[in-house]
Amino acid sequence: MREKVGYFDLLRVVAAIAVVVIHVLGPYREQLGQIPNWEWITAITFNSFSRWAVPVFIMITGALMLSDERPFEGRYYFKRRVGKVLIPFVVWSVFYAFFSAFSASGTDFSTSWNLLTDLPFHETYYHLGFFYYFIPLYVIVPFYQWAVQRMEPGQVKGGVMVWLVITGSYLYHIDGLWSETYLLYSGYLVLGYCLYKYHWPAMKWLIPLAIVALLVTDYMVVSHSLTAGEYKIGRWLSYKTLNTAIAAAGVFVLCRYMFDKFSESARSRLAVLSRYSLGVYLLHPIFLWPLRNYDWYFANPLIAIPVWTVIAGGLALGASWLLSRSPKTAWLVP
């Protein structure tokens, strides 16, 4: 059995929290001009500062899988690795298709049917879109694993540098064959591997660059939107752009550094929270349903977003724990 990497627990926890934040603040995005500008800017800043969450999950996968030097066994890989994620995804997709039928205005199961027929191509609920580019990466992983373990470190790092240039060109709408979705997402696998295996890029460079990336992202989204009089993001909040990649790498190295400062008891608590991080990801929209449908945003976003993040995240954590208690349901929250 491979040695557990402790700081990955911290990464999973902060990434899960950031995902909940993004979904809590969702309705604020279209309220420019309907609420005071400073409140709207506050919500958008939360959004801009949280976009690294999804890439961090991919980077953890890359760090773990690409560094695994055990012989590749196809049957084990697709049964235990892919199946562990794919089967719960399908079940939850069906659940959320029916869940989507319910709203404050009534019930409409025709919505569920439309979502189910489109399930192979489109998510049945807003948070499940992640799996449509994450699960296909499992097909790419064995090839990347084979390649990076036969390449010199400099060659692997050079590949990451080329990928970063591509993400920069994508940010500025310089499109071509290099803009292919899975190429852009799969780069996070190798970036995570480099940060884990080589501690490269160095933290002293990444942290300042990540801060700049977050601030520039927020400024560009806010300024463009205020100028247009409506929510305009360009590609600044995409998961496939240079600013998001740099921010995600910064969070990665910061968590690696901070984890060493934690006490053993804190590390143990993080391990527990990390165990249920995917469950929190899958379940939290259930507890956001009344918030979104009945507009329970009781205060300005500086207060409402953190409060509802704690409430929805805490309830999802509890529900995930309950499901994990029985062998009949534990596979739903792997």
Side-chain angles (χ1 to χ4, degrees):
M1 182 177 294
R2 301 180 68 193
E3 182 179 355
K4 179 180 174 64
V5 182
Y7 69 86
F8 285 174
D9 288 336
L10 179 57
L11 278 168
R12 291 188 186 98
V13 171
V14 298
I17 293 171
V19 166
V20 179
V21 167
I22 292 170
H23 295 152
V24 166
L25 64 85
Y28 284 111
R29 293 177 298 185
E30 307 303 330
Q31 293 184 2
L32 178 60
Q34 302 174 34
I35 59 176
N37 278 356
W38 78 268
E39 291 189 6
W40 182 83
I41 292 171
T42 299
I44 297 308
T45 299
F46 271 107
N47 197 15
S48 299
F49 281 23
S50 303
R51 304 304 293 184
W52 46 264
V54 165
V56 161
F57 282 120
I58 301 175
M59 289 162 67
I60 295 171
T61 299
L64 287 172
M65 292 192 172
L66 301 192
S67 63
D68 189 349
E69 298 181 355
R70 292 174 295 184
F72 177 77
E73 297 180 15
R75 184 176 179 181
Y76 171 85
Y77 179 78
F78 286 100
K79 181 179 180 180
R80 295 296 300 275
R81 297 288 192 187
V82 182
K84 186 179 179 180
V85 177
L86 178 61
I87 295 173
F89 159 70
V90 172
V91 173
W92 283 113
S93 291
V94 173
F95 167 82
Y96 278 107
F98 286 100
F99 187 71
S100 297
F102 300 93
S103 69
S105 58
T107 304
D108 181 8
F109 283 109
S110 65
T111 299
S112 302
W113 175 249
N114 291 335
L115 289 169
L116 286 173
T117 56
D118 203 29
L119 192 158
F121 314 103
H122 196 272
E123 67 270 20
T124 59
Y125 217 65
Y126 56 83
H127 69 308
L128 296 176
F130 163 69
F131 293 94
Y132 284 81
Y133 46 81
F134 179 70
I135 291 176
L137 293 181
Y138 279 100
V139 177
I140 299 172
V141 163
F143 298 99
Y144 277 24
Q145 180 189 46
W146 179 88
V148 299
Q149 292 182 6
R150 286 161 177 77
M151 295 168 68
E152 295 294 328
Q155 294 174 310
V156 180
K157 295 174 184 178
V160 171
M161 292 299 293
V162 170
W163 173 75
L164 288 172
V165 171
I166 292 172
T167 62
S169 66
Y170 183 77
L171 173 62
Y172 287 101
H173 299 266
I174 304 172
D175 296 327
L177 294 176
W178 52 85
S179 305
E180 201 279 326
T181 293
Y182 297 113
L183 171 63
L184 290 167
Y185 279 119
S186 66
Y188 283 111
L189 297 170
V190 188
L191 178 59
Y193 172 80
C194 283
L195 289 168
Y196 168 62
K197 186 78 172 180
Y198 308 134
H199 283 210
W200 178 90
M203 180 176 172
K204 66 179 181 180
W205 297 109
L206 275 179
I207 296 299
L209 287 173
I211 293 171
V212 170
L214 291 172
L215 293 174
V216 170
T217 298
D218 191 44
Y219 172 78
M220 295 301 287
V221 173
V222 169
S223 62
H224 286 176
S225 298
L226 291 175
T227 299
E230 61 180 321
Y231 186 52
K232 293 283 188 179
I233 63 173
R235 288 179 175 174
W236 287 96
L237 297 185
S238 170
Y239 297 134
K240 301 180 287 186
T241 51
L242 179 63
N243 56 317
T244 305
I246 295 298
V251 171
F252 192 104
V253 298
L254 182 61
C255 286
R256 186 180 67 203
Y257 172 78
M258 293 300 299
F259 185 80
D260 291 336
K261 313 296 182 184
F262 287 13
S263 65
E264 286 301 320
S265 61
R267 293 181 183 187
S268 298
R269 288 191 290 270
L270 276 173
V272 173
L273 295 174
S274 173
R275 162 66 181 82
Y276 302 110
S277 59
L278 183 55
V280 169
Y281 188 102
L282 289 166
L283 293 168
H284 75 273
I286 297 172
F287 304 104
L288 291 180
W289 185 91
L291 172 66
R292 284 173 167 246
N293 277 268
Y294 294 104
D295 194 24
W296 286 357
Y297 290 88
F298 60 90
N300 70 66
L302 193 61
I303 298 173
I305 292 173
V307 168
W308 280 114
T309 296
V310 171
I311 292 173
L315 291 172
L317 176 65
S320 182
W321 175 80
L322 285 173
L323 288 172
S324 71
R325 300 285 289 174
S326 169
K328 295 180 180 179
T329 54
W331 58 274
L332 287 168
V333 285

